[in-house]
Amino acid sequence: MRFNAKDLALLAKRPSGCFDKEGKLKICRVVGDEKLIEPRERWCRLKGNLLFLMKNKSSEASEVVILERCWVVEFKSKTDVSIILKFQSGEPDLYIEAASKPDCEAWAVALGEANSEGLRNKIQQLRRLIMEIKEERASEEARQFLPSSQVDSLGEPQFTSIQRIANEPKLEFSLACKGLVAATRDRKLNTFIQVSVVHPAEHILTRYSSTEIVEGTRDPLFLTGVTFPPEYPIYEETKIKLTVYDVKDKSQDTVLTSVLPDHKEPRADVGRSFLGCATFRVGDLVKSKEQQLTLTLRTSDGGKTVGTIEVNLVKMGEFEDGEMDHITTDAQDQKFLCFLPLKSCSCGFLSATCAHNTENLERMTDRRAKEECALVRECTAPEGLSGKDNLPSLNAVLKNPICKLYRFPTSDNKWMRIREQMAETTLSFHVPKELINLHIKEDMRRNQELKDLGELAPHWDNMRKSVIAHCDQMLSMYQDTLAELGKHTGSSFKSSCSKGEKTLEFIPINLHLQRMHVHSPRLKDALYDVITVGAPAAHFQGFKNGGLRKLLSKFEAERRNTGYQCIYYSPENTAKAKEVLSNINHLQPLISSHADLLLNSASQHSPDSLKNSLKMLSEKTELFVHAFKDQLVRSALLALYTARPGCVLKKPAVPRSSAEESDDLKHQNHPSQIKRQDSIPHHSEYDEEEWDRVWANVGKSLNCVIAMVDRLLEKDNSSKTKEGESDPSAADCKVLHAGGDWYEQLYPLVITLKDCMGEVVTRAKQSMAFVLLQELACGLPQCLMLTLRRDIVFSQALAGLVCGFIIKLHTSLHDQGFLQQLHTVGLLVQYEGLLSTYSEEAGMLEDMAVGISDLQKVMFKVIEAKSEDFLPIITGRREHYVIEVQLPAKMFELLPQEIKEGKLLRMYPVLFNVGINEQQTLAERFGDTTLQENINQENLELLKEYYNLFTEKMPPDCLPHFQEQNDLKGLLENLHQNIQAKRRKNVEIMWLAATICRKLNGVRFTCCKSAKDRTSMSVTLEQCSILRDEHQLHKDFFIRALDCMRSRQTQGALNESDDPETGCLTDNKPTSRHFYPVALLLVSSHLLVVWLILSLALLLAKYQ
């Protein structure tokens, strides 16, 4: 980062009142626990995030410390007056010593709040204070609308609940106006309705939602309805206020209406005018015979009538036919105003309003007992399984639903109703915390294995100490992150403005379920799910050097050229070493337990139990022996021996390249007698074939156990046949006596088996740990940083995958074809990426590609829940994870036998990316799109592989019945042609990939940088295309339906903020991003030329 030295010097010499804090401190740099120099007294001045260090108050600043990406460590002892300022960049710590304890504490607070994170916390506190003040004012304004309620004996009001069906919204209604009166006779009205709710318990008037704007008519029929989710606190005594506005200036965003009090008419300069309002009780609508109310719209003073408004109660299972002719006739006159142009949308659909609406909803429901909300409606549930049966398991995953209701005309003059639903997921934090916990345990085992390597030569011992020190540092970082996540409270998702926070870097951005429930008059109900999430990427670490795809390739190339310092092992061999260690840790305790069961069966003299125990012991031991049938173990043992101090080889070690690593080592002469040693010899000649003998001893010991069991069972059978003989011979008595005590005869053989197995485990663990030592030593500290980055990206990707799998399993629980496909073939998971290949987004795309590819090592397993905790359980290690999904007993019984028996379910993730923004235009014209092309081509091959596997193992009637002209093979060929064509912004790739995914019963994901702008545009376009292609949406209403779903006006009150996550005001936003500060660019003529070129390029991209 570059700074203007003169400006900084002038800033440091400003008067004392201009600084946040100043005073004398003793300062020095610290590395570890050692001070580089003795602390020297300096006059320190703090301004914003800049700390100026001066020799005295009148001298010039000798050093400037930027207080970003740093934290303060304050010592808690009463006598200590010093603090440490630590930096994430790795530069030496700053030791600060004050004159007194109060002064030390004051400096600690000031320095802790000086960075951008501290400023962000202050802004959040001010926002909360503003919201509390607004709520107090709104409660005073709402008193005139308060209903009279009954009071019980304790003085608490009693309200009447609305009867509803389980899993369904409490209340839904549609709106239409007639005979609206304009201010001037010749003016055509552009109207929308603001919906507000008066809560009888809190006496608060809350703006709930709005309709779309209908232009050019005095009888508007609104396609956007109003829906209240199951947990919303609404009763028959609740009053709803409907306010009609006329939009005068179509360029003004009407969300500014929420700034004004609800009962006051807005100023004319905000772009719209107040027409009238009406209020009704929910009980009047619910109990009305025709389930319809006709209300009179009046002005704010209540004197003048300006029209009527019709409120129709909506039930998804019923249809309305009467108004179809009306809307079709007026289709040419009624126009729809979309607030969000395709290129400048800031928050298109429901996910954009989640943060704001969820916080409002939580504030309203915290004061009542919450009802659990089921977010999945099973359209064809079988008898005996009610909708309530899947409530607990699904509510453990999803929460805080936001619903919107629409009604659109079909091509046969009927109405279809669409319920759009968006929900957060608790898995956003649960999965990363479980994953980090596994990483901590795995890293602790690895560090212990490195310490257990024993004595090493000085070179290797120093290397081991360095590796362990770095690993301990990374382990501490994981532990700190897990502790911070454990303290997290609030919303269950990470907003886009928090994507750069270190404590939340493992959490996915804006992970939500976007669901569309379609109820058509002539077709079955249908559910369409899309998981929306920000691209899995390490935003905090940045993308200056690219993403994982480039960094891993570069690191592997550098590691091959490490020279003599360490031994190079290929990534395949490193992965094999981790697998061997995992098998050892898994199989050794199982074999020991089965051996104990065998002895227990022998002591009980139970032949059947003895046979079963022997069978399990044999199976596990064979797996154990098979795990070491690899040349890597033998070569690693030799390499470890050479690393011992004073080692002597019978034959000199032959230098070997990495390509020859898997070749067999030359065997040397060895004594015929087997010697068992407690550890690898240090100062004697190393016998390379000794490992084969030690490894073979396990199998020989097992054979001895099997032979003894067979002999005992045979003698037992023969003794039973001779029970009828009255005179057994003396020899027979001796045999029976010798074979009588099975335990005594089996015990020494089992002990020998355990001893042999323990010797193999010791040697194998040490050799594989030595391989891992080479991997870490060859790339410190890059290796650990890449592991951290990969863990971060994988954590974000895995949280989305687990959410998608659970939702898909719940919605398809009654589809036997899908369940058969799930355990026979696996599940297709298709990611739609909308990132550009320009600047930082290219690094994000590289991270995302690696993270999604790593999902191939994830397997799922469905188990029956044994408690009320239905959250998934994660087990495994970095190279292999198993996600155990818990289902209630009634749901678990619906699964096929293969899944109930614990069969592991495979995942097939594929990623197709097409950049669609202005930055992609720059990449296509002046940059490089090879990354996107390679990713699409690689994943096309994976998709073809899954299709071939599907066609081989599954019957054709398992495919969903979509009304498509082309079959799957044709769609795949079309997708292949579009990828090969390499056209600019070829969005046909996205549509074809999504169609193939839905045909193959897959799970759909849509991702962009923050899962807001581009994601919203993509999801809404996909939803309307499905309505048109599958549910006969009227062709003249496609654009209107699309604009209706995209309109921010329909998403409810957003207060004065455009973005509910960041709270940025629209008034101060520039109209175009390419108007840079000209004063800064005029410093140099070269910079001015660069500015002109960039501005021209962005203008061309915008108006392309």
Side-chain angles (χ1 to χ4, degrees), residues 46-310:
L46 178 64
K47 180 64 176 177
N49 62 348
L50 299 177
L51 178 64
F52 296 96
L53 307 182
M54 310 163 66
K55 292 184 178 180
N56 53 63
K57 191 173 182 179
S58 59
S59 65
E60 295 184 354
S62 59
E63 185 179 355
V64 181
V65 180
I66 304 173
L67 303 176
E68 292 293 340
R69 295 191 177 185
C70 62
W71 66 95
V72 177
V73 178
E74 182 180 1
F75 299 99
K76 300 300 181 182
S77 62
K78 296 182 180 180
T79 58
D80 205 327
V81 293
S82 61
I83 56 177
I84 298 291
L85 196 62
K86 290 184 173 292
F87 298 89
Q88 295 174 0
S89 60
E91 63 179 291
D93 302 337
L94 191 65
Y95 173 85
I96 300 175
E97 182 179 330
S100 63
K101 187 63 176 180
D103 193 25
C104 177
E105 294 176 351
W107 273 104
V109 173
L111 295 173
E113 296 179 351
N115 54 18
S116 57
E117 185 176 355
L119 183 61
R120 191 181 300 114
N121 294 334
K122 289 183 180 179
I123 293 174
Q124 292 177 353
Q125 293 177 359
L126 292 175
R127 283 179 181 165
R128 285 194 294 268
L129 182 61
I130 292 173
M131 292 299 298
E132 292 174 359
I133 295 173
K134 286 184 176 180
E135 287 180 359
E136 292 176 0
R137 292 180 180 177
S139 62
E140 295 176 359
E141 297 167 3
R143 296 186 187 279
Q144 56 181 314
F145 301 108
L146 294 181
S148 57
S149 57
Q150 299 177 352
V151 180
D152 62 2
S153 59
L154 297 177
E156 297 181 356
Q158 297 291 316
F159 303 111
T160 307
S161 299
I162 300 176
Q163 295 182 357
R164 62 180 181 87
I165 305 173
N167 301 359
E168 292 294 313
K170 280 189 176 180
L171 179 68
E172 292 180 316
F173 57 85
S174 59
L175 300 169
C177 294
K178 290 186 178 180
L180 296 179
V181 179
T184 57
R185 182 172 300 178
D186 57 344
R187 171 169 172 77
K188 291 185 177 181
L189 297 177
N190 308 318
T191 54
F192 75 96
I193 300 177
Q194 175 88 44
V195 181
S196 303
V197 179
V198 180
H199 299 281
E202 286 83 3
H203 302 168
I204 294 176
L205 178 66
T206 305
R207 291 178 177 85
Y208 183 74
S209 67
S210 299
T211 65
E212 79 279 14
I213 291 182
V214 179
E215 295 187 64
T217 179
R218 300 191 179 189
D219 301 320
L221 181 66
F222 299 98
L223 301 183
T224 304
V226 181
T227 180
F228 294 89
E231 81 288 352
Y232 194 88
I234 189 168
Y235 308 93
E236 291 188 5
E237 292 80 9
T238 304
K239 284 190 175 183
I240 295 179
K241 182 180 179 183
L242 306 174
T243 309
V244 182
Y245 292 98
D246 174 26
V247 179
K248 293 181 179 179
D249 185 359
K250 295 187 286 293
S251 64
Q252 291 286 339
D253 193 334
T254 55
V255 295
L256 293 175
T257 61
S258 58
V259 179
L260 300 174
D262 203 22
H263 68 280
K264 296 183 180 180
E265 184 176 343
R267 305 188 310 272
D269 58 354
V270 299
R272 56 119 199 223
S273 64
F274 172 85
L275 287 181
C277 63
T279 306
F280 69 92
R281 290 177 69 254
V282 172
D284 296 338
L285 176 62
V286 175
K287 295 178 180 179
S288 61
K289 187 175 295 185
E290 297 179 354
Q291 296 187 337
Q292 175 181 332
L293 295 178
T294 301
L295 309 174
T296 301
L297 288 171
R298 297 185 181 276
T299 56
S300 56
D301 56 6
K304 184 179 178 181
T305 301
V306 293
T308 60
I309 183 169
E310 293 183 356

Side-chain angles (χ1 to χ4, degrees), residues 846-889:
E846 291 181 353
D847 277 359
M848 182 180 178
V850 174
I852 292 175
S853 176
D854 286 345
L855 294 177
Q856 297 180 34
K857 58 191 177 186
V858 177
M859 309 283 278
F860 280 82
K861 181 180 179 181
V862 184
I863 62 175
E864 182 178 354
K866 302 300 182 182
S867 66
E868 296 300 321
D869 184 8
F870 297 100
L871 289 174
I873 302 170
I874 305 178
T875 58
R877 53 186 174 81
R878 281 187 174 90
E879 301 300 326
H880 178 70
Y881 291 101
V882 176
I883 315 297
E884 296 182 353
V885 178
Q886 304 185 79
L887 290 182

Side-chain angles (χ1 to χ4, degrees), residues 83 134 166 202 256 269 285 350 374 389 453 568 591 618 669 722 734 787 792 835 840 888 971 1011 1016 1026:
I83 56 177
K134 286 184 176 180
E202 286 83 3
L256 293 175
D269 58 354
L285 176 62
L350 289 175
D389 291 328
L453 276 176
Y568 172 76
I591 294 174
S618 300
N669 297 328
K722 296 180 180 180
K734 290 182 180 180
T787 301
I792 291 170
L835 295 171
E840 285 190 347
L971 289 172
S1016 65
I1026 290 174

Side-chain angles (χ1 to χ4, degrees), residues 822-826 858-862 875 880-884 898-899 901-907:
L822 186 61
H823 70 80
T824 304
V825 185
V858 177
M859 309 283 278
F860 280 82
K861 181 180 179 181
V862 184
T875 58
H880 178 70
Y881 291 101
V882 176
I883 315 297
E884 296 182 353
E898 292 84 352
I899 298 181
E901 291 176 354
K903 183 176 182 179
L904 296 180
L905 311 175
R906 290 198 60 186
M907 299 294 109

Side-chain angles (χ1 to χ4, degrees), residues 23-28 38-44 53-56 97 99:
K24 287 184 179 180
L25 296 173
K26 291 184 178 180
I27 292 178
C28 70
E38 286 299 318
R40 297 180 179 179
E41 191 174 87
R42 292 288 184 265
W43 185 264
C44 301
L53 307 182
M54 310 163 66
K55 292 184 178 180
N56 53 63
E97 182 179 330

